[in-house]
Amino acid sequence: MSLLEIRGLTAAYGDFQALYGIDLKVEEGETVAIIGANGAGKTTLLRAIAGLLRTPPDCIRFDGAPIGSLAPSRIVRRGIALVPEGRRLFPSLTVEENLRMGAQSGRGGPWTLSRLYGLFPALAARRRAAATALSGGEQQMAAIGRALMANPRLLLCDEISLGLAPRVIRDVYAALPGIRAEGTTVLIVEQDTSRALAEADRVYCLQEGRVTLEGAPAALTRERIRLAYFGL
Amino acid sequence: MAWLNIIVQGALLGGLYALFAAGLSLMFGVMRLVNIAHGDLIVLSAYCALVIVQATGMHPLASLVLVVPLMFAFGYGLQRGLLNFTLSGGILPPLLVTFGLSVIIQNGLLEAFSADSRRLQAGALETASLRLGDQLAIGWLPAIVFIVAVAVIALLEQLLYRTALGRAFRAVSDDADTAQLSGVEIRHVFALATALALAVVSLAGVLLAIRTNFDPSIGPARLLYAFEAVIIGGLGSLWGTLAGGVLLGIAQSLGAALDPGWEILAGHIVFLLVLLLRPRGLFPKQAE
Amino acid sequence: MLRTGAYRIDRSTRASRVALAVAAVIVAALLSLPLWGDSGDMRLAVEIFYYLALAQAWNLLAGYTGLVSVGQQAYVGLGGYGFFALTVLLGIAPLPAIALAGIAAAVIALPTAFVVFRLRGAYFAIGSWVVGEVFRLLLALVKPLGGGTGMSLPVAVVLSLAPSRAARDVVVYYLGLALGAGAVSLVFLWLRSRQGLALTAIRDSERAAASVGVDNRRTKLAVHIIAAGIAGLVGALAFLEKLRISPDAAFSVGDWTANVIFIVVIGGIGSIEGPILGTIVFFGLRALLVDYGAWYLITLGALAVAVMLLAPQGLWGLLARAFGWQFFPVQRRLRLLDLRQAPPKPSEAPIEAAHRED
Ligand SMILES: Nc1ncnc2c1ncn2[C@@H]1O[C@H](COP(=O)(O)OP(=O)(O)OP(=O)(O)O)[C@@H](O)[C@H]1O
Ligand SMILES: [Mg+2]
């Protein structure tokens, strides 16, 4: 049984359909990447998994149980945490308050404030600062930290490299091995294809709301990826 | 000295207005919901106390032990059973539903209690005062109301900035979707915000009913005072709201000293002037 | 996106042509009402016309521009007091005084807009209410107009309108009919005009409207002023009919705004038909519940709450959806005459995007 299993998932914003029958599987312990052009539906897919979009109940199974109709707060409790696109820290909370919000779901596990500060020492120094006062990289770390505080079994990361300098992107991604080492399964969305191929055990490519390619990085040629990515 | 007395009385009255305003401010702050029925809920709690006092012979202040939890529970139910359903479709549903609620409460009270003016009798407390000079005397009751207002605002500040619930309130207010992703049950948190707001409202309602006469129609005016205190003080700042209430009280009391017809008008005019000259209020929150 | 040149823009619908015929019959019946109805019928009809006019105006405000005003009583009251001041203090004849009172209310709406437009959304609602209260309290201070207790319209003024009570009823009736029909026509023609397109755009999305060059602020100001003018005319006529005015009656939020809000919400916000249907429902319910005192308003409030939650487009919205009705053709429908082109990719917006259903 896969940890996450999605079958024929559709999703829409009002009368605009964004996902057309997505099939996707994530095994426990794996790292899976989703790539795709702007507007392909990557964020929509993660938001649907996290429960922010209305989806048919049976389309999404987590650890064998259907979660498609659960509220986001219930889904976190089951063990799926999302690092949202654009970080979305709470601007009127301090860094530490933002992290503590992540623990709201009450799941126990390896991640505590002190372990997080070990993972991201930059945050420890700025724990009392307003979230808005952080640099882009620190904000991204705080957003990842907030999600980890829920001690998820599956961590969803939406473009954690967005708008960051290459050196900072390296720092942010440097945290992934430590997270995986705790047995956390990771599903990342990444526009940077080579980064995605380097990090992931398997890759899915989305295009206009459909899966156009799936496979282990070693098995995929550049040509096939380009075709799946752009459709030409 | 006579002027000083007028200003002091006005400032004390402002404490009551700040209490009216705190609940309105809390609901708006957490869920951007402007509750048009706010004033009518104040009046509803006054009648609630009236019924309890008449049934048990309790002192009105003692009735708070029942009225506050009742209104807390009512607020929780109101939010979960009704108001939560208004929050996803733009500005019209919350406004119009609370407007409808306002009319329902007013007319329900009218049907149940008639239009007669009532008052909660608090015995000696109503008239006792502390004489501070020839022309200056502070009534115990207004002083108690003011102290309660300050205490409530201090407690709300503590709650907002020192507790997990307060943190959740602020997070939900910033970004409800992301708060849900963190595991916040927003429907429950919203309901707690309304419950808390109505607990404060009930306190305000009982104190109002001891201070002055009330009847089913006086709710909307209390809504307006609460709203004016919030805007004068500046959005998002509870201490600012206290200052706004005090300023409003002083304006009304000075207006009344000029001519009884100017009492309420003077308050409204101060509000409109603040809106014109300092649209963000006198003590706006630093951020944003 | 639509590359085809083969399309046609329609405005009228079958239902709207039928409606036109029905409307002609109704207008004929209303025009002849003084011939077959008694003075009670006429009074009721006049009241219906006021509410129809106020409802159309409020719908324009709240339904199209998002200005949810709880302060329309300000302009009703100003119109009423304007009429009394013009006739009693300045000796102006009643008919021109009614028109001038409406204009005066519209003019006063300009400076008040300057203040209340600083507030948005729900805050605008309460701010406009404060303005209504300010005018009520101010007028209570004006001694020549009776102060807080108000005043009656002097007999001389009443007689200068019409020599007998029966004749007065007929004059007031036609003025009311003109006002009700005028308000509906005005809103209809406005929504059909270019500016009406702007209004509908703002209703659907304020941000999007601004991004395609609609001047939201000017449009809102125009709607605010027109709505005040209509309210002013209603006030002038209403208090001419009542022969008596007082601050509490003239600036009553319950009479002049709450009822109107209920009418529009129940009938259907954001359409012309909604307020008409709402007015009919309102007076129907009132006739049914006339003996139940406050229960009438409780029912009305509960109905409005239920409609807002369960069918936000109102009763008219339900009917329009169920039967595809549209009596006032203000929409432009894009009809594609040649659909042999490749079917649109599912990722493209549906073709009816140019046409809003609800
Ligand atoms: N709130 C929304 N309302 C309407 N349409 C939306 C909304 N959010 C996204 N869309 C549309 O849904 C489609 C998929 O968007 P999505 O954000 O999932 O893409 P993405 O793959 O994450 O793109 P990006 O790489 O730019 O983040 C796009 O066409 C987008 O315009
Ligand atoms: Mg995205």
Side-chain angles (χ1 to χ4, degrees), chain B residues 39-55:
Chain B
D40 305 291
L41 290 163
I42 294 174
V43 179
L44 179 67
S45 1
Y47 277 100
C48 188
L50 181 75
V51 170
I52 291 173
V53 166
Q54 282 177 347

Side-chain angles (χ1 to χ4, degrees), chain C residues 115-330:
Chain C
V115 182
V116 290
F117 275 30
R118 290 173 176 244
L119 298 166
R120 322 216 133 256
Y123 280 14
F124 172 85
I126 308 185
S128 64
W129 197 344
V130 171
V131 168
E133 282 298 283
V134 166
F135 284 119
R136 179 176 69 83
L137 294 163
L138 277 176
L139 263 303
L141 295 172
V142 180
K143 293 288 180 281
L145 291 170
T149 49
M151 73 185 297
S152 297
L153 199 58
V155 178
V157 175
V158 181
L159 288 181
S160 74
L161 178 69
S164 70
R165 182 163 168 198
R168 193 176 77 234
D169 281 345
V170 173
V171 173
V172 169
Y173 173 77
Y174 281 116
L175 287 172
L177 178 57
L179 184 54
V184 176
S185 319
L186 178 80
V187 171
F188 175 56
L189 293 174
W190 195 354
L191 286 177
R192 269 179 85 114
S193 72
R194 259 186 73 81
Q195 284 173 5
L197 216 52
L199 273 176
T200 310
I202 294 178
R203 172 189 71 180
D204 294 345
S205 166
E206 195 162 326
R207 278 256 277 317
S211 73
V212 296
V214 173
D215 188 341
N216 292 354
R217 217 185 138 79
R218 264 185 78 136
T219 312
K220 286 184 174 190
L221 189 62
V223 168
H224 180 73
I225 289 173
I226 295 284
I230 292 177
L233 290 172
V234 168
L237 200 56
F239 290 96
L240 161 63
E241 194 203 13
K242 292 184 202 294
L243 302 177
R244 206 190 137 65
I245 196 165
S246 71
D248 289 350
F251 297 94
S252 158
V253 64
D255 287 351
W256 304 121
T257 300
N259 285 345
V260 173
I261 291 178
F262 291 148
I263 287 174
V264 178
V265 169
I266 293 170
I269 199 161
S271 66
I272 298 185
E273 295 89 343
I276 299 178
L277 181 61
T279 307
I280 297 171
V281 171
F282 175 84
F283 281 93
L285 269 180
R286 199 176 75 171
L288 276 179
L289 296 172
V290 69
D291 296 326
Y292 296 92
W295 285 108
Y296 165 56
L297 283 169
I298 296 174
T299 309
L300 211 56
L303 189 59
V305 167
V307 165
M308 203 70 237
L309 289 174
L310 305 176
Q313 304 294 324
L315 299 181
W316 178 256
L318 291 180
L319 290 178
R321 189 160 331 144
F323 302 104
W325 283 351
Q326 194 197 11
F327 290 162
F328 289 89
V330 294

Side-chain angles (χ1 to χ4, degrees), chain A residues 38-39 41-44 85 158-159 189 191:
Chain A
N38 288 115
K42 307 179 297 291
T43 297
T44 306
E85 184 174 6
D158 197 348
E159 299 208 33
V189 158
Q191 286 246 11

Side-chain angles (χ1 to χ4, degrees), chain B residues 234-251:
Chain B
L235 277 180
S237 145
L238 283 169
W239 292 114
T241 299
L242 178 66
V246 166
L247 202 65
L248 186 66
I250 293 175

